[in-house]
Amino acid sequence: MDIHRDLKVCDLGSMGNRAFVECHEVAKERTFDIGTALYMAPEQAHFSERDWDLRAQYHGWIYSSKVDVFALGLLFAELSVFMEADVKETVFNSYRAGKPSSVLEHLSGEKGFVAWLTNIDPAERPTCAEILQHPFMLN
């Protein structure tokens, strides 16, 4: 399965021209060799801080396409409520720490869906097929 590793709101293509430029500029500043820090899954962000020699030891990256599922959850949260940049970073860090934020408290469907996608354990995150069959996607 392919891994995108760098999903972010700019990739959705639905943003206005200036918003896209601003987002692209932020992404350039915050993108590492393995993705944009703001949208990284916990295992991806953790690996970026490790010794780069581990990459050779493992013959590549030691995470799966579930990093994209996590990023998708963050995107759903971002698109569900307006958040200033500093608030968004705090909210996303909470999800990465395994502590879902209360920012979606008033949106029960979105809250549960985002919590499912951003499970701290990659093995507990859904597959793409499971996401498409979730009631939140079917409604």
Side-chain angles (χ1 to χ4, degrees), residues 8 10 18-31:
K8 52 194 171 297
C10 303
R18 181 61 200 153
F20 177 80
V21 171
E22 288 173 0
C23 188
H24 180 68
E25 289 168 358
V26 169
K28 277 178 42 181
E29 292 171 7
R30 303 193 67 189
T31 297

Side-chain angles (χ1 to χ4, degrees), residues 8 37 40 51 72 82 89 103 112 114 121 125 135:
K8 52 194 171 297
M40 284 183 180
D51 185 349
L72 183 63
F82 175 78
E89 187 166 2
V103 72
V114 169
D121 181 354
R125 290 181 211 142

Side-chain angles (χ1 to χ4, degrees), residues 69 72-81 95 104 106-118 126 128-139:
V69 173
L72 183 63
L74 296 180
L75 289 173
F76 271 103
E78 182 173 4
L79 295 172
S80 295
V81 295
Y95 281 109
L104 299 176
H106 64 290
L107 302 168
S108 61
E110 289 85 345
K111 177 185 172 189
F113 187 64
V114 169
W116 186 45
L117 298 176
T118 58
C128 292
E130 291 170 329
I131 292 169
L132 293 174
Q133 294 304 310
H134 191 275
F136 182 80
M137 296 298 286
L138 297 174
N139 290 333

Side-chain angles (χ1 to χ4, degrees), residues 52-135:
W52 287 101
D53 292 338
L54 283 177
R55 182 177 179 187
Q57 178 182 344
Y58 288 101
H59 305 289
W61 303 111
I62 56 173
Y63 50 80
S64 71
S65 60
K66 297 292 181 104
V67 298
D68 292 335
V69 173
F70 190 93
L72 183 63
L74 296 180
L75 289 173
F76 271 103
E78 182 173 4
L79 295 172
S80 295
V81 295
F82 175 78
M83 293 181 270
E84 296 284 345
D86 58 331
V87 172
K88 181 170 46 175
E89 187 166 2
T90 300
V91 166
F92 288 5
N93 285 338
S94 292
Y95 281 109
R96 267 188 290 280
K99 301 171 187 164
S101 170
S102 62
V103 72
L104 299 176
E105 202 63 44
H106 64 290
L107 302 168
S108 61
E110 289 85 345
K111 177 185 172 189
F113 187 64
V114 169
W116 186 45
L117 298 176
T118 58
N119 192 306
I120 197 164
D121 181 354
E124 296 296 320
R125 290 181 211 142
T127 65
C128 292
E130 291 170 329
I131 292 169
L132 293 174
Q133 294 304 310
H134 191 275

Side-chain angles (χ1 to χ4, degrees), residues 35-52:
T36 302
L38 185 62
Y39 297 92
M40 284 183 180
E43 65 274 21
Q44 189 180 14
H46 179 69
F47 184 77
S48 70
E49 297 168 359
R50 292 186 187 171
D51 185 349
W52 287 101

